[in-house]
Amino acid sequence: MSEHRRKPPQPQGGGRAAARRGQSGSSSGRRAAPRGATGSLSDSYGSDSYDSGGEERQYGGRAEARRAAQRSTGGGRRRAAEPTRGGRRAAPAGRGRAAPVPDRKRLIDYPRAGKYGWQRWLPSWRLVSGLCIGFFGSLVAVAGIGYAMVGVPNEENAAALSQNNVYYWADGTQMVAAGSGQNRQNVTIDRIPKEMQWAVISAENKSFYQDSGVDPMGIARALANMARGGDTQGGSTITQQFVKNTYLSQEQTVTRKFKEMFISIKVGTKLTKGQILQGYLNTSYYGRGAYGIQAAAQAYYGKEAKDLTPSECAFLAALLKGPTYYDPAGNDSIDPGATKDKNLKRSKDRWGWILEQMHNDKRITDKQYQDAIKEYPMPDDRKASKGMTGQIGYLADTAKKYVLNHSNITEKQFDQGGYQIKTTFEKSKVEALAKAVKKVEKEKLDPKNRELDKHVQFGAASVKPKDGAIVALYGGAGYENGHFNNNADTSGVPVGSTWKPFVLAAAMEHGTYRSDGVGVSPLSKYNGNDHLKVRNNDGSYVLKKDNTPFFQENESDRPWGYISLRKAMEQSVNTPFVQLGMDVGMKNVRDVAEKAGILDSSFATLNPSFALGTSTPSAIRMADAYATFAAAGKQAAPYSVTSVKANGQEIEGFDKPRITQAMPEKVARNVTDTLENVIQNGTGKKALALDRTAAGKTGTTDENKSAWFVGYTQQLSTSVAMFREDPKSARLLSMNGTAGEKSIHGGDTPTQVWTEYMKAALKGKPDLGFPEAEKIGEIQDEVGAPTPTPTPSVEPSETVTESPSATPSESSTPSPSPSDTCGFFGCEEDGGAQNGGTGNGGTDGETSPEPTPTDTNLDGGNSRGNGNGGIFGGPEG
């Protein structure tokens, strides 16, 4: 066939119309071949934006083409040829490239095909509505299944049935079975005053009679709290609380919360509102071991529930917020923040608020409200529960506190009972300590005939060195006698001169500001005269608030002159230790005491009097801190519980405390050597009746408000405190005149109690003595001390040479002349030997009654219970 008769090739891009468009779009008059006509990649994806005929290409390059293909097909490879619509490619308006068209419809069109930019990620209304329907449908299905699967238990759970806790002595024999087993009695709704019912409803669940038994928003808040690591409190209706009290455990978990919700819904359909309210009031915990409104009425007001007044009902309803913090009797043994004063304020505030809510809700009349709000219904004092008499109540209280502070058990759970607690207490030692106190009380005190013998109290504790086990304590006259404060485990009683060993230990370990870190020898000499000004490290004097010098006092005006620290400890002279504390740094003294076992919360203000025992640790903590000296510097925190079981399973957290080296052995042994001398030759001589090697220190505080003796052997460390207390205000009273004596010192009655107890507690035990103390530190006399001059006489022992006495033969060192009191910073105008005086022998020092230095509290805390001197940061446990 001839060349000119051959049929020309047809365009592949859309027939005649496409050909016409090609002719009109070509600048050269030739038709531009449609992209892809040759089938080669170069035809479709050239490197230039325009082909040789001037036609704008659809894509800028192969990579861009592939991305476009992936967008349009959800990530798959784009086919070489795209489908056309009506013979032409689809392209979005105003854009130079075509929108991808999906190969097939997807079940969920997301990201959305055919969209670009932010529109591609914006869900369609079909997708959103579908997901919502599916989500709420799933919730309904889950709720339906949960409602169907969860049933109301046929019986109350074991936790709602009150049981006893059983305490055991250290040898495994039973001490006491105590708890709420006898302290619960259900009453019917007709025997519960309407005012009590409305008080609870107005305070906790105003919509009780209208709601379905659950609070969805409250549950959501509880779940959000758990998600943040908090608890589930604050979201339950009365029905939910009744269900939790009666059928469920007290654990705070998501599972338990959902069970509570479904059971509450079912309970709401099966029980009347009156039955639910009756059950709630009969199962709630009101404190003092009382479960249910009947037990609460008896525990707080000694009456039947039906006889409660509207004001009393509001008070009991306030307790449901948390009896630990709303019982006016206080509960600072559980939490230092739950003191009597703070609890009373909280209780009054909530009591008044509940009455106001009842009035606003028109549940009580105007007259009832006015009558009820007139006077706060102060409840009765605590009463001793069965078996909690004598010292048993204090032992159980101490063990309970220890359990609560070393486990996740709440007070409410603990008081529901079912726990077996093995303690460290040894029955024979507890009885010996109580017997020692009673014997001395009988010999010394006559409260029936001497007014100043009234309200005298004792507190004592005994701890094992190198272990920390509390083997005995004396807490007071007993719960049965209305004494509910555990005197062995409380704070607010300053320890006086029993603090001086910590000052000496700090000096031997850290040195003074002049010794460049070298420890100070206990043979270093300081001015022991009365009424001395105290120097700061820069040589200036400590000033009072009125900018006049502060003078430190001794108990007597005896002119001791410059005496060694060992002698000052022996005779409990104040002025050397106040100045030593300033030279060492009171912070160092505090740190040494804390490492020895004293809690940070019991420390007083750091000022000159801090060295004399203005701090208020408990008897347990003082015995434990001195046990650190007895154990050559090894410290073990005091503990009272060795194991706890519930339902036959042992609860973790009750291993023995870890032993640490609190101070160098050399320091501890030198302190012990110095305290041995206190008993041999000083203020603790009455302890010689123990007839075995022992070390100890006496202590008496400002205005004779408390007196202490703390002493130890290698086997046992024991502290004894004595004080008078106003029963109404709990403030300490002076013991001047008590027991017919001018004043009570730590070396008198407390030492006698200590000796009587230690005789019995150590009977049959060997006298182990103490390791010999090595020489320590350098002699670093106080600034201004006279330079020693040689004398022809042979120097007697340390104890004799430094004791100014009326008998010249006992000392070859005369009393210092006035010039001896003058030092580098000048003379003491009214102090030292210039005061003269015959002296009255060695007496136990006390904190100064003189004007207070800046920011100083020389009182050391005259009101008990406001400090935090206990084992756990509050009173002892």
Side-chain angles (χ1 to χ4, degrees):
M1 186 177 293
S2 63
E3 182 77 18
H4 67 275
R5 295 184 63 187
R6 188 177 298 164
K7 188 177 181 179
Q10 297 296 317
Q12 299 181 24
R16 295 179 181 178
R20 287 194 298 271
R21 285 195 299 273
Q23 290 174 346
S24 62
S26 176
S27 59
S28 61
R30 293 183 301 168
R31 284 186 304 184
R35 187 177 60 174
T38 65
S40 68
L41 290 174
S42 61
D43 288 338
S44 298
Y45 308 114
S47 58
D48 298 324
S49 298
Y50 294 87
D51 64 10
S52 59
E55 181 182 0
E56 183 177 354
R57 300 205 173 189
Q58 296 284 340
Y59 303 98
R62 297 183 181 182
E64 186 176 353
R66 282 195 299 271
R67 286 196 295 271
Q70 288 170 354
R71 284 196 297 270
S72 66
T73 60
R77 182 183 294 274
R78 179 170 178 159
R79 292 173 298 180
E82 295 178 353
T84 60
R85 295 181 181 177
R88 64 179 68 180
R89 298 181 190 275
R95 299 183 68 92
R97 55 185 179 182
V101 179
D103 293 335
R104 62 182 184 278
K105 289 186 177 180
R106 293 177 291 172
L107 179 62
I108 299 178
D109 185 22
Y110 193 82
R112 297 174 66 185
K115 301 291 183 181
Y116 287 91
W118 62 269
Q119 291 178 329
R120 180 171 172 75
W121 303 101
L122 183 67
S124 66
W125 68 269
R126 292 186 182 87
L127 179 60
V128 172
S129 59
L131 290 176
C132 289
I133 292 171
F135 175 73
F136 286 110
S138 299
L139 284 183
V140 172
V142 169
I145 294 171
Y147 184 82
M149 293 182 65
V150 175
V152 178
N154 294 324
E155 298 180 354
E156 295 175 331
N157 67 346
L161 299 174
S162 54
Q163 305 173 61
N164 282 327
N165 291 319
V166 182
Y167 296 85
Y168 298 91
W169 296 104
D171 63 4
T173 58
Q174 183 171 315
M175 178 197 303
V176 66
S180 57
Q182 305 296 323
N183 200 18
R184 178 178 171 189
Q185 179 184 353
N186 291 341
V187 291
T188 55
I189 193 71
D190 60 295
R191 295 180 62 194
I192 302 175
K194 284 287 186 183
E195 290 82 5
M196 185 68 211
Q197 299 175 39
W198 288 119
V200 172
I201 292 171
S202 293
E204 300 190 25
N205 187 188
K206 290 180 182 291
S207 63
F208 171 69
Y209 280 106
Q210 290 79 42
D211 63 39
S212 62
V214 296
D215 178 8
M217 293 303 296
I219 292 175
R221 285 194 301 271
L223 294 176
N225 286 340
M226 282 190 290
R228 292 193 298 266
D231 55 35
T232 62
Q233 62 186 5
S236 296
T237 63
I238 287 176
T239 305
Q240 288 174 266
Q241 293 179 60
F242 165 62
V243 167
K244 180 175 66 174
N245 291 344
T246 308
Y247 302 115
L248 299 172
S249 68
Q250 301 298 313
E251 62 179 348
Q252 295 181 344
T253 63
V254 175
T255 302
R256 200 272 296 157
K257 203 68 183 173
F258 275 111
K259 282 185 179 180
E260 175 190 305
M261 179 178 66
F262 291 125
I263 294 176
S264 297
I265 295 173
K266 283 198 171 183
V267 165
T269 62
K270 291 186 176 183
L271 301 181
T272 66
K273 290 291 185 179
Q275 290 173 316
I276 293 171
L277 185 59
Q278 171 185 300
Y280 172 64
L281 291 171
N282 278 326
T283 57
S284 293
Y285 182 60
Y286 295 81
R288 300 191 184 183
Y291 281 85
I293 185 61
Q294 178 74 356
Q298 292 171 344
Y300 288 92
Y301 294 108
K303 60 172 67 174
E304 298 288 309
K306 63 183 179 62
D307 298 324
L308 291 168
T309 66
S311 183
E312 292 167 345
C313 290
F315 167 83
L316 293 176
L319 290 171
L320 297 175
K321 181 79 171 175
T324 298
Y325 303 99
Y326 289 86
D327 182 352
N331 213 339
D332 55 359
S333 64
I334 302 300
D335 188 326
T339 62
K340 289 183 178 181
D341 291 342
K342 291 179 180 178
N343 278 19
L344 179 60
K345 183 181 186 307
R346 279 189 286 257
S347 178
K348 283 184 176 180
D349 290 345
R350 187 159 179 83
W351 162 78
W353 178 81
I354 290 175
L355 286 174
E356 183 181 20
Q357 294 302 305
M358 294 170 68
H359 182 240
N360 293 343
D361 296 341
K362 302 190 183 303
R363 304 307 183 187
I364 54 176
T365 65
D366 292 346
K367 184 179 185 308
Q368 284 179 311
Y369 174 70
Q370 294 301 328
D371 290 343
I373 203 70
K374 280 181 183 177
E375 184 178 0
Y376 175 77
M378 181 64 75
D380 300 338
D381 290 332
R382 288 193 182 100
K383 302 176 181 66
S385 57
K386 183 179 178 181
M388 305 292 271
T389 57
Q391 297 306 303
I392 300 299
Y394 306 119
L395 299 175
D397 174 67
T398 303
K400 171 184 175 180
K401 192 177 349 170
Y402 191 87
V403 171
L404 297 183
N405 280 276
H406 288 78
S407 69
N408 293 323
I409 301 170
T410 66
E411 184 183 12
K412 180 177 180 180
Q413 290 171 325
F414 188 88
D415 286 346
Q416 284 174 333
Y419 296 95
Q420 295 83 48
I421 304 102
K422 186 176 180 182
T423 73
T424 59
F425 305 124
E426 298 180 19
K427 185 177 182 180
S428 61
K429 289 183 173 62
V430 170
E431 291 175 347
L433 186 53
K435 184 177 179 180
V437 172
K438 296 302 179 186
K439 179 182 178 181
V440 174
E441 278 184 330
K442 187 175 181 180
E443 291 177 1
K444 297 274 191 177
L445 305 176
D446 186 10
K448 291 183 179 179
N449 298 311
R450 280 198 298 258
E451 184 68 24
L452 292 175
D453 286 4
K454 292 181 179 179
H455 314 308
V456 174
Q457 298 184 34
F458 289 87
S462 195
V463 173
K464 282 185 179 180
K466 298 181 183 178
D467 185 280
I470 307 169
V471 296
L473 56 78
Y474 182 84
Y479 288 0
E480 70 275 19
N481 294 312
H483 185 83
F484 290 93
N485 284 328
N486 186 349
N487 292 344
D489 189 19
T490 190
S491 60
V493 182
V495 296
S497 292
T498 58
W499 197 257
K500 289 173 182 173
F502 300 120
V503 182
L504 180 61
M508 290 192 289
E509 182 175 354
H510 298 288
T512 69
Y513 72 98
R514 296 185 296 120
S515 69
D516 196 24
V518 177
V520 172
S521 167
L523 299 181
S524 302
K525 290 182 173 60
Y526 272 69
N527 195 339
N529 289 330
D530 183 40
H531 196 67
L532 296 183
K533 289 186 283 189
V534 181
R535 300 183 185 90
N536 294 305
N537 292 170
D538 62 2
S540 63
Y541 290 113
V542 174
L543 302 178
K544 297 182 293 186
K545 290 182 179 179
D546 61 0
N547 288 326
T548 60
F550 163 69
F551 288 87
Q552 178 58 54
E553 308 294 327
N554 292 327
E555 187 178 12
S556 76
D557 60 0
R558 180 170 182 169
W560 290 101
Y562 283 88
I563 56 175
S564 71
L565 297 173
R566 178 183 174 86
K567 186 67 178 181
M569 185 76 75
E570 173 194 297
Q571 299 299 327
S572 201
V573 186
N574 288 341
T575 47
F577 285 98
V578 172
Q579 189 58 61
L580 178 65
M582 295 297 291
D583 292 351
V584 172
M586 294 301 178
K587 184 179 184 304
N588 285 330
V589 175
R590 174 189 173 124
D591 290 345
V592 166
E594 186 171 18
K595 289 178 181 177
I598 304 299
L599 289 179
D600 175 80
S601 53
S602 65
F603 289 126
T605 304
L606 297 185
N607 55 44
S609 293
F610 181 77
L612 300 181
T614 53
S615 297
T616 58
S618 69
I620 292 176
R621 280 285 167 179
M622 284 301 289
D624 183 66
Y626 271 51
T628 304
F629 297 136
K634 293 181 174 61
Q635 207 283 324
Y639 68 102
S640 58
V641 175
T642 58
S643 70
V644 178
K645 291 183 178 179
N647 300 319
Q649 300 295 317
E650 190 152 336
I651 297 174
E652 295 181 355
F654 299 98
D655 296 330
K656 284 186 178 183
R658 186 170 59 91
I659 297 175
T660 60
Q661 190 70 39
M663 64 183 69
E665 285 188 14
K666 186 183 290 188
V667 169
R669 287 177 179 167
N670 272 273
V671 170
T672 294
D673 181 69
T674 304
L675 298 187
E676 279 188 84
N677 187 55
V678 171
I679 291 177
Q680 293 293 327
N681 303 294
T683 57
K685 279 186 177 181
K686 287 189 176 180
L688 286 173
L690 179 61
D691 197 27
R692 66 170 64 221
T693 306
K697 183 69 187 75
T698 57
T700 307
T701 59
D702 181 30
E703 298 180 29
N704 204 206
K705 290 179 178 177
S706 62
W708 288 72
F709 184 77
V710 189
Y712 55 91
T713 65
Q714 283 206 62
Q715 299 104 318
L716 215 53
S717 176
T718 302
S719 65
V720 178
M722 178 181 177
F723 54 92
R724 285 185 71 218
E725 182 181 61
D726 184 335
K728 294 182 179 179
S729 66
R731 293 186 65 83
L732 298 182
L733 304 172
S734 174
M735 289 190 292
N736 290 333
T738 296
E741 302 287 345
K742 182 179 179 181
S743 61
I744 297 293
H745 297 96
D748 299 327
T749 306
T751 303
Q752 190 174 340
V753 172
W754 181 90
T755 306
E756 289 289 334
Y757 162 70
M758 293 290 277
K759 279 182 182 179
L762 296 173
K763 187 176 181 179
K765 301 289 178 65
D767 184 355
L768 300 179
F770 294 108
E772 186 176 349
E774 305 173 45
K775 178 183 176 183
I776 190 171
E778 299 292 336
I779 293 179
Q780 179 88 62
D781 293 341
E782 178 186 2
V783 170
T787 302
T789 57
T791 63
S793 61
V794 177
E795 186 176 345
S797 68
E798 176 69 29
T799 300
V800 178
T801 57
E802 296 177 353
S803 179
S805 171
T807 307
S809 61
E810 290 184 10
S811 175
S812 60
T813 306
S815 296
S817 66
S819 61
D820 290 337
T821 64
C822 297
F824 183 76
F825 297 107
C827 298
E828 300 294 345
E829 286 88 353
D830 295 315
Q834 296 172 21
N835 285 340
T838 59
N840 55 7
T843 56
D844 194 17
E846 63 174 45
T847 55
S848 171
E850 291 301 299
T852 307
T854 304
D855 298 325
T856 300
N857 175 18
L858 293 177
D859 233 4
N862 289 332
S863 179
R864 294 181 59 216
N866 294 329
N868 294 309
I871 292 182
F872 314 111
E876 296 301 326

